[in-house]
Amino acid sequence: MGAYADTESCGYRGKPNCDDRGRSAAELAQRRFAGDDAGVTMPPPAAAIPAVRLDTIAKRFGDVVAIEGATFEAGPGEIHALLGENGAGKTSLMNVLAGVYRPDGGTIRLDGRPVTIPSPEAAKRLGIGMVHQEQRLVSRFTAPENVALGHAHPRWHLPLGAFRALATGLSARFGMPIDAQVPVWAMALGRRQRVELVKLLHHGARIIILDEPTATLAPSEVEAFFGALRGLVDEGRTVIFITHKLDEVLRYTDRVTVMRAGAVFRTMATAEATRPGLNRLMVGEDVPAPAATPASAGDACAEGAAPPVVAERAGGPLGEVVLRLERVSVVDPAQPVQLTEASLEVRAGEVLAIAGIAGNGQAQLAEAITGLVGLSGGSVHVGARNLRGLSARQVADLGVAYVPEDRREVGLVLGQSVATNLALRRFDRRPLARFGIVDRARMRRDAVGLIARYGIRPPDPDVAVGRLSGGNQQRVIIARELAGTPRVIVVDNFTRGLDPRSTRQFIGELWAHRDRGAAVVWITSDLGEALECDRVAVMNRGRVVAVLGRAEASRERVGLLMVEDLGVGVGSDG
């Protein structure tokens, strides 16, 4: 009978898990979210037929099996989470539904009717839209111009003023404000995803697939985002939510499906799920949380919060100042927020968190440290060396490693192989090259070792990195940047797209670098991550507004500093 076995008394949302008034767990969760459990009668669904059903879907890429006989269904009016380890097949399965991939086997049904979806355009006509983990927008266009794309008329004949009003109206209706004047390339990743979602709504999407949509959102933005999603499903739409954030799954979704090794392993009502149970379903074993530090354990383990991610610093006293920024400014007229007179110091053996709402100067700060942008004022020093005037390559040669937020645009060459991407920092020097000639056999052997060490899947050094899942692309960058002994490490939301076991592994590696004496700058939108660092610098409107020690930093204090004068409420990060 599947997940819709008992629908007469509890609606379409799943298994017979009702209270004494016949309401399903999902309905009760929806009421709790809205603050309404006063007994209002919810109308039953019109039918027990799933909005979408994927039946025994198969997909291969050469010898690599991405999906193997996966069956998945989601109902109208629900938020359905899709979980699994990196490479489990989640995004590939949804790419089949969105028309990006053609399945090698299986059937797709919408409202019980079999359909063929040969392209994203066909999916759009059927009311299916997907917001990918990486942007699919035209970077130099504004939000209204991107919304206008896909219409029958040429862009230059479109009344862009009308589209600007339309995009603004849609964003206001669903609580997803966007700036209609700023080009997409100047937006933070979270804002770009907002534009893509508004575009889907404009084109009439009723089945909405979201791939890691909250990865770079601050706690208050997450709360508002799921409020907007609840408004969409209340209108009868279906939201499929790919994520690794178990707290958000448990708090905001109606049902959850877990994939493992390309197949659907289990589907359950979210009310039946627990964090340890979901971890076990994803990886086949418990994923223990690292030990909390005494100063922050209570904060990080508050009800609904993620377990602590960082253990106590193993080394002794902090070393000398390795990284120093003095009144650093970056002026870019195209950016809505400018980095203004940022001053920071990071010592050997220290992790400094940079916390802030996305788009408040964090990206410019990272690029200033790594030599990717020129400074309009101030200076950056690594040890005694002033970085002014140095290229990004020269900065890297001083021992500065960088894991960027936007992996596809900044971190990888998508058309090149995994082996080539792993060697980008050293392909022109010994031992990989002599007299300008690359030893490709050596490069491949080194890549095989890094692939095994960092669990990159598929374990093929010759596959194009653009063919990997988002989480495995992130593994490639982490392997390239952290495999050596960098002096300074800058990571920008580097756990984005990683499953819980990988997150634990790579944070542990970051902390091992700290304990051997590296200076680490960790830019994060996750307050739980920020509060486990040695110190927290808070950014707001392009300025460093506070630097707090671990004993001073709390979820409430950091959250208020992040949103002060921005007109944004402070919420839990669940």
Side-chain angles (χ1 to χ4, degrees), residues 9-55:
S9 61
C10 295
Y12 60 82
R13 285 192 176 92
K15 301 180 180 181
N17 187 19
C18 305
D19 70 349
D20 58 359
R21 289 157 59 188
R23 299 177 299 177
S24 71
E27 290 167 353
L28 293 172
Q30 183 170 346
R31 293 178 181 279
R32 286 196 298 271
F33 180 88
D36 173 20
D37 192 17
V40 178
T41 302
M42 296 186 70
I49 298 174
V52 57
R53 179 178 172 86
L54 304 171
D55 201 353

Side-chain angles (χ1 to χ4, degrees), residues 179 182-188 192 330-339 359-364 367 373:
D179 191 326
V182 175
V184 163
W185 68 264
M187 298 180 183
R192 297 179 197 178
V330 174
V331 174
D332 184 347
Q335 292 283 357
V337 174
Q338 312 297 324
L339 180 65
N360 272 271
Q362 300 96 313
Q364 294 97 314
E367 291 172 348
V373 296

Side-chain angles (χ1 to χ4, degrees), residues 74-126:
E78 74 167 334
I79 301 177
H80 194 124
L82 187 57
L83 295 178
E85 285 195 285
N86 296 133
K90 309 178 298 296
T91 300
S92 294
L93 183 63
M94 291 300 103
N95 276 330
V96 168
L97 178 57
V100 178
Y101 297 156
R102 293 194 181 194
D104 297 322
T107 59
I108 304 173
R109 294 178 180 271
L110 299 182
D111 299 320
R113 297 178 295 104
V115 297
T116 301
I117 309 177
S119 67
E121 179 62 28
K124 184 175 78 173
R125 289 195 299 268
L126 290 168

